[in-house]
């Protein structure tokens, strides 16, 4: 076949999606239990939105944005994340003065080098609390993260937190770091030399050994933080420490420019190189930077392809599956009225009408292969008697002939 899917944009097949559905249901249940409401924003936004939010110095905007000109020569981009769009939507609706607890889910796009756990089209589910100042909302979001992991059966994970201080803290630290690094430009990896100009803070999470060696002697970010954020971090760690593995990581700066205040990431060693399956933080200035009124904001997003690898939940087992088998000459209209009536009686059961003219034997073989629990068989004999054969496909193989009403009754009570 000469047409293939694009690199890093995998298909999801029915056998994959069974687990996805459980994940999505669990996520929305936990989100809703905290009083959040769902928001859906478009996949396409103006490129300017991401330039002004995620930031020109971030890899996401610099190298990974899927941007192109539309038919009106306007630069538009596939969204690389959800927070910027949510803020844009609230500003556009002029609702910055209200409090919002929102959640969303859907595909995101980043032109990254595909590898295990890293895709060009991937999915996120996220939560954004808008209009909530620093304090209790940080606690509620971390507690939501712990709850999610519990519900999904994820036990081996670590929550890393850090505080990026305010604008002055960031500026003072960046100036000091620049002063320290400038005499060492020849030792610094070229990627990090570029960052020194665009966003020095990102140098802290550099993966380059030469940079990390230099940083060992460089000014430390935590020394520029005032007492209040340090105490805030210590209190959070103390509060959650008996529920999960949580620790301050002062090199955690996150890859998006909009953060201020608390930032956090959840990692699992079971994931390999791309070990972060959740990331978030506070970004109180974004609303103003996008032309809206001041509005505090904090949130997180989960990488669904990554968290699904960690889930310890068996696919739904208690959904009953019934094969609807017809054999021989049939009054098709009448037969499928029966299928309709059965589904109407109990939508919680899967009635899999085979729509086939194959023999009874081969249809039963198919029912067994697909692990159906029961079969309803309408053959010529049954039609003459005005009855339907109800067959248990488990080892016992019980079967009985039922009138229409008894059949509906049985089906209703599955
Ligand atoms: P992020 O850290 O860029 O944050 O992405 C969140 C999560 O999405 C990551 O931890 C990772 O699990 C997943 N992810 C990112 N890129 C990929 C990829 N190429 N392939 C697979 N999974 C990926 C944000 O996007 C922020 N908007 C989070 C946030 C919400 N901050 C505040 N509110």
């Amino acid at each position: 076949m000469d047409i293939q899917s694009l690199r890093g944009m995998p298909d999801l097949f029915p056998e994959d999606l069974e687990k996805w559905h459980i994940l999505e249901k669990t996520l929305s249940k936990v989100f809703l239990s905290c009083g959040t409401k769902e928001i859906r924003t478009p996949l396409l936004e103006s490129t300017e939105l991401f330039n002004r939010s995620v930031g020109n110095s971030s890899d996401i905007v610099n190298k990974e944005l899927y941007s192109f000109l539309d038919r009106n020569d306007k630069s538009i981009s596939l969204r690389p994340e959800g927070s910027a769009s949510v803020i844009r939507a609230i500003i556009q609706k002029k609702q910055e003065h209200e409090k919002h607890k929102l959640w969303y889910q859907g595909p995101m796009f980043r032109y990254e080098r595909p590898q295990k756990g890293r895709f060009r089209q991937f999915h996120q589910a996220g939560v954004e609390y808008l209009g909530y100042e620093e304090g209790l909302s940080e606690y509620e979001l971390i507690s939501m993260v712990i709850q999610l992991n519990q519900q999904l059966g994820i036990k081996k994970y670590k929550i890393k937190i850090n505080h990026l201080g305010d604008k002055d803290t960031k500026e003072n630290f960046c100036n000091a770091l620049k002063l320290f690094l400038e005499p060492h430009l020849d030792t610094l990896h070229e990627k990090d030399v570029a960052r020194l100009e665009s966003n020095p803070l990102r140098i802290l999470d550099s993966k380059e050994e030469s940079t990390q060696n230099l940083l060992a002697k460089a000014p430390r970010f935590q020394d520029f933080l005032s007492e209040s954020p340090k105490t805030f971090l210590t209190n959070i760690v103390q509060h959650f420490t008996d529920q999960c593995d949580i620790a301050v990581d002062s090199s955690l700066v996150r890859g998006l420019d909009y953060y201020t205040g608390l930032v956090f990431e959840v990692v699992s060693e079971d994931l390999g190189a791309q070990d972060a399956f959740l990331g978030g933080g506070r970004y109180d200035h974004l609303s103003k930077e996008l032309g809206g009124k001041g509005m505090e904001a904090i949130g997180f997003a989960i990488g669904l392809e990554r968290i699904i690898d960690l889930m310890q939940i068996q696919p739904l087992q208690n959904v009953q599956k019934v094969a609807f088998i017809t054999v021989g000459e049939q009054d098709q209209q009448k037969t499928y009225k029966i299928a309709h009536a059965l589904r109407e009686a109990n939508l919680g059961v899967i009635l899999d009408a085979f729509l086939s003219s194959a023999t009874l034997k081969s249809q039963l073989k198919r029912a067994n292969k697909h692990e159906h629990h029961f079969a309803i068989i309408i053959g010529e004999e049954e039609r003459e008697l005005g009855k339907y054969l109800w067959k248990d496909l488990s080892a016992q193989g019980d079967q009985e002939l039922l009138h229409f009403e008894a059949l509906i009754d049985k089906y209703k009570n599955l």
Side-chain angles (χ1 to χ4, degrees), residues 5-12 20 64 66 79-80 107-124 271 274 303-309:
S5 68
L6 297 174
R7 262 190 91 207
M9 300 212 175
D11 298 305
L12 290 172
W20 277 77
E64 298 166 3
Y66 273 92
R79 62 181 185 191
M108 307 290 161
F109 305 84
R110 296 184 192 177
Y111 195 82
E112 298 199 72
R113 196 156 43 82
Q115 64 178 81
K116 184 176 179 293
R118 197 206 264 160
F119 305 94
R120 289 181 172 172
Q121 174 175 317
F122 61 100
H123 296 78
Q124 281 186 348
L271 286 175
Q274 303 302 318
L304 300 192
E305 282 78 1
R306 295 189 191 171
I307 202 169
I308 212 149
D309 273 355

Side-chain angles (χ1 to χ4, degrees), residues 60 80-83 104 110 112 117-120 122-124 127-128 254 256 258-259 265-266 276-283 298-306:
I60 298 175
E81 57 102 54
S83 317
Y104 54 86
R110 296 184 192 177
E112 298 199 72
R118 197 206 264 160
F119 305 94
R120 289 181 172 172
F122 61 100
H123 296 78
Q124 281 186 348
V127 170
E128 313 292 349
R254 311 265 303 123
L256 301 89
Y258 50 58
Y259 292 112
E265 243 170 44
V266 187
F277 62 94
L278 185 152
R282 181 165 280 283
Y283 54 104
I298 180 168
F300 65 77
I302 305 167
L304 300 192
E305 282 78 1
R306 295 189 191 171

Side-chain angles (χ1 to χ4, degrees), residues 16 65 76 148 156 168 183 187 199 308 337-338 350 408:
D16 309 316
L65 216 51
I76 54 173
L148 280 169
K156 245 174 44 195
D168 287 346
T187 337
N199 186 358
I308 212 149
K337 268 197 176 148
I338 298 165
I350 296 173
I408 294 283

Side-chain angles (χ1 to χ4, degrees), residues 42-53 61 65-68 70 74-80 84-85 88 92 290:
L43 266 60
L44 282 171
E45 296 273 4
S46 71
T47 302
E48 199 191 344
L49 172 66
F50 303 116
N51 285 337
R52 284 172 55 184
S53 55
V61 163
L65 216 51
Y66 273 92
S67 298
F68 39 90
D70 72 5
K74 181 179 164 55
S75 176
I76 54 173
S77 297
L78 281 164
R79 62 181 185 191
S85 305
R88 196 255 323 121
Q92 202 168 328
L290 291 177

